[in-house]
Amino acid sequence: MAASESEPSAYDYSYAITAVTSGAFGVGTNLTWDSYQRDIYNQLNEALQKQANLLQQRAGVTAAETNALIEQRNAILAESRSKLSPFGRLYSEILKPSDNLPTLEKLLKQKGSLEAVLESVGKTRAVVNRLSVSMKLAGNGAVVLQVAVSAVLIAMAPPGQRGKVAAGQAGALIGGAGFGWSGAWAGCATAAAFLSPSLTIPIVGEVTEGGACLTGGIITGFGFGLLGSSWGQKSGEDVYGYATHLHWVQP
């Protein structure tokens, strides 16, 4: 993490390295979490599509049966979305507003038949899935790199300073992740609102607005992650210093 400018340390990396890893960790934890939630969402929808495929093999599929699968798909979406980060929920809301989810009537108008509806009831957006894979790889890399940097900083610290450094690095990890998640949401909301006064009825299109949300979230999440890391490190070191110097005074 970033070293305090007022107290340079011989065991610290350069500020450029720690700044990059701190900022990347802040947004990386967010991307990793949302990507894993996307994996679970996709697995649930794969199971739903298997149900639909089995139903198609039977003659005489009814509208009620098809509607039940659509409602199940919407329930999966709502439950999965509730587990996303604030940034992930906002991004998902832009792409598919909760108050405008597919219904049997809408899908029949689009696809023309119950059979056509069943063929895609459990399918998810390929472009979002590919993006999720990239986000997971990048997020995992950022987390692993930051943990490795923190471990090296602790190991290289003078014996008498290791406790303080460890406390500072723990605070930096917590602060970086917390601020990074907040920054990602703020950046997404700001960038999306800049392109459209309504997040759920975009003027320029959901893809463009979603892209603005994603870009703004990553950039702002990086900056907030760096800020939170610096604040968290100092707070951790201060708490450690207070705890180690605390002593009871006998009356």
Side-chain angles (χ1 to χ4, degrees), residues 22-58:
S22 296
F25 176 79
V27 70
T29 52
N30 201 153
L31 299 182
T32 299
W33 174 263
D34 286 340
S35 296
Y36 277 111
Q37 295 304 321
R38 181 73 183 184
D39 284 347
I40 297 173
Y41 174 72
N42 285 338
Q43 291 171 19
L44 292 173
N45 277 288
E46 286 177 8
L48 183 66
Q49 187 61 56
K50 289 180 180 179
Q51 293 181 44
N53 294 341
L54 290 173
L55 191 61
Q56 278 188 296
Q57 296 174 10
R58 194 197 72 199

Side-chain angles (χ1 to χ4, degrees), residues 4-238:
S4 173
E5 294 182 1
S6 59
E7 296 182 10
S9 305
Y11 53 85
D12 206 351
Y13 287 109
S14 70
Y15 179 75
I17 293 177
T18 54
V20 170
T21 55
S22 296
F25 176 79
V27 70
T29 52
N30 201 153
L31 299 182
T32 299
W33 174 263
D34 286 340
S35 296
Y36 277 111
Q37 295 304 321
R38 181 73 183 184
D39 284 347
I40 297 173
Y41 174 72
N42 285 338
Q43 291 171 19
L44 292 173
N45 277 288
E46 286 177 8
L48 183 66
Q49 187 61 56
K50 289 180 180 179
Q51 293 181 44
N53 294 341
L54 290 173
L55 191 61
Q56 278 188 296
Q57 296 174 10
R58 194 197 72 199
V61 178
T62 67
E65 291 171 325
T66 305
N67 187 60
L69 289 178
I70 294 171
E71 291 182 348
Q72 187 176 353
R73 165 66 185 272
N74 290 340
I76 289 173
L77 184 146
E79 179 63 20
S80 300
R81 188 170 291 181
S82 70
K83 292 179 171 58
L84 293 173
S85 69
F87 162 68
R89 285 197 297 273
L90 182 56
Y91 178 68
S92 298
E93 193 68 23
I94 290 172
L95 295 183
K96 185 179 289 186
S98 296
D99 59 358
N100 191 32
L101 296 179
T103 63
L104 178 58
E105 182 180 2
K106 291 178 182 178
L107 292 175
L108 280 175
K109 287 181 179 180
Q110 293 174 5
K111 301 182 181 295
S113 67
L114 293 177
E115 290 73 17
V117 172
L118 288 173
E119 287 178 0
S120 61
V121 69
K123 293 183 179 179
T124 56
R125 296 191 185 207
V127 64
V128 177
N129 293 336
R130 290 194 294 270
L131 178 62
S132 178
V133 171
S134 299
M135 288 167 56
K136 184 195 296 184
L137 293 174
N140 286 344
V143 172
V144 170
L145 179 60
Q146 182 58 79
V147 172
V149 168
S150 294
V152 171
L153 292 179
I154 295 170
M156 294 181 64
Q161 292 290 315
R162 283 178 185 162
K164 178 180 178 181
V165 173
Q169 291 305 299
L173 292 174
I174 295 171
F179 275 59
W181 282 40
S182 297
W185 176 87
C188 171
T190 301
F194 179 77
L195 289 181
S196 172
S198 170
L199 295 179
T200 56
I201 310 177
I203 291 175
V204 295
E206 62 183 19
V207 175
T208 302
E209 190 177 11
C213 163
L214 184 63
T215 303
I218 291 175
I219 293 174
T220 310
F222 182 96
F224 272 56
L226 175 58
L227 179 64
S229 173
S230 178
W231 175 85
Q233 178 180 347
K234 187 176 187 309
S235 297
E237 291 175 349
D238 289 345

